[in-house]
């Protein structure tokens, strides 16, 4: 008989400051782009992570607001609160954002920070942070808990992004929960889909119009030849 027994996994002891120091020294020795990790006096440390944005659905942003400047970021100016008007658009596929974070920064805080930098006003619960790993020629994704610390994962994996990278994606929980979207958001989605449909129809029309012209030209040339 096969019996399934639930066993509580023992959580590993947190590394000591000396162990963290050794790991950081080993990490920095492999860094080639000056993006080093730095150990603080209190035992925490800071460093950089890169997050790939792979969003398939449009995001909601304030309408008519300029991108956030360095001055705004330093003064913690929230441009999204300056207008109630909203619009939707697609973020560039595979856009990469570099973040300077602390060892105490959680996945939840990374997601909120990314949305703030791009002025996305959607609910952060609509998004999830994944770690991307490559093994035996395969690309594997694993969703990270909101309480996980990305910088510690980066430290353990080393600076090579081929070994480990971070990806922001939609929080797929099965079917899309349309009730989570507001009426203006849904209307914007319909407008975007309508535009994409019209663009696709025009592409198909142009494709077959070119094919028709080539076919007519070929028939015309064939009629002019003997036999």
């Amino acid at each position: 008989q096969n019996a399934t027994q639930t066993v509580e996994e023992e959580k590993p002891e947190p590394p000591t400051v000396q162990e963290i120091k050794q790991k950081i020294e080993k990490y920095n020795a492999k860094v080639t782009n000056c993006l080093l990790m730095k150990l603080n006096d209190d035992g925490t440390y800071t460093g950089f992570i890169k997050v790939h944005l792979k969003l398939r659905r449009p995001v909601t942003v304030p309408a008519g607001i300029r991108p956030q400047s360095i001055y705004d970021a330093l003064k913690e100016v929230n441009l999204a609160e300056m207008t109630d008007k909203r619009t939707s658009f697609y973020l560039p596929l595979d856009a990469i954002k570099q973040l300077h974070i602390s060892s105490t920064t959680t996945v939840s805080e990374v997601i909120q920070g990314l949305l703030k930098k791009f002025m996305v006003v959607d609910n952060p619960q609509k998004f999830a942070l994944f770690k991307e790993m490559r093994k035996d020629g395969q690309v594997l994704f694993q969703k990270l808990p909101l309480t996980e610390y990305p910088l510690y994962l980066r430290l353990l994996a080393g600076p090579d992004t081929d070994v480990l990278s971070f990806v922001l994606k939609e929080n797929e929980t099965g079917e899309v929960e349309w009730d989570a979207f507001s009426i203006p958001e849904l209307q914007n989605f319909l407008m975007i889909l309508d535009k994409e449909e019209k663009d696709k129809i025009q592409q198909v029309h142009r494709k077959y119009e070119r094919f028709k012209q080539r076919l007519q030209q070929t028939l015309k040339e064939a009629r002019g030849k003997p036999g």
Side-chain angles (χ1 to χ4, degrees), residues 107-119:
V107 164
S108 177
E109 291 169 332
V110 167
I111 293 174
Q112 293 178 45
L114 283 169
L115 298 183
K116 184 177 180 181
K117 285 182 179 295
F118 285 97
M119 294 194 298

Side-chain angles (χ1 to χ4, degrees), residues 1 4 17 26 42 45 56 62 66-67 76 82 90 108 112-113 128 148 161 164 173 181 189 201 224:
Q1 294 182 352
T4 303
V17 175
K26 185 178 179 180
D42 60 0
Y45 51 97
R56 295 177 297 152
R66 59 180 171 79
E76 296 186 352
M82 297 175 63
Y90 286 94
S108 177
Q112 293 178 45
E148 182 65 87
T161 54
L164 170 72
T173 56
F181 295 88
F189 292 162
I201 291 174

Side-chain angles (χ1 to χ4, degrees), residues 17-53:
V17 175
Q18 184 60 33
E19 289 173 337
I20 289 293
K21 182 179 180 181
Q22 293 174 353
K23 291 180 183 296
I24 290 177
E25 290 174 350
K26 185 178 179 180
Y27 179 96
N28 288 342
K30 298 178 181 178
V31 171
T32 58
N33 54 10
C34 299
L35 301 179
L36 303 174
M37 289 199 187
K38 180 183 178 182
L39 181 64
N40 301 319
D41 294 335
D42 60 0
T44 62
Y45 51 97
T46 57
F48 297 85
I49 64 170
K50 289 182 179 180
V51 181
H52 297 249
L53 278 67

Side-chain angles (χ1 to χ4, degrees), residues 69-147:
S69 66
I70 295 177
Y71 175 82
D72 294 330
L74 292 175
K75 295 295 183 179
E76 296 186 352
V77 175
N78 190 350
L79 296 175
E81 295 179 351
M82 297 175 63
T83 177
D84 293 329
K85 296 180 179 179
R86 299 288 184 258
T87 187
S88 296
F89 78 106
Y90 286 94
L91 286 174
L93 189 62
D94 279 345
I96 299 176
K97 190 65 179 178
Q98 187 167 274
L99 300 176
H100 185 249
I101 63 174
S102 164
S103 57
T104 60
T105 305
T106 63
V107 164
S108 177
E109 291 169 332
V110 167
I111 293 174
Q112 293 178 45
L114 283 169
L115 298 183
K116 184 177 180 181
K117 285 182 179 295
F118 285 97
M119 294 194 298
V120 176
V121 296
D122 290 303
N123 191 326
Q125 294 180 356
K126 296 178 183 179
F127 306 91
L129 192 68
F130 291 76
K131 63 177 181 180
E132 178 182 328
M133 301 162 290
R134 300 178 185 275
K135 185 177 181 181
D136 300 329
Q138 293 183 329
V139 178
L140 306 175
F141 289 91
Q142 182 179 348
K143 182 180 174 181
L144 295 174
L146 293 177
T147 55

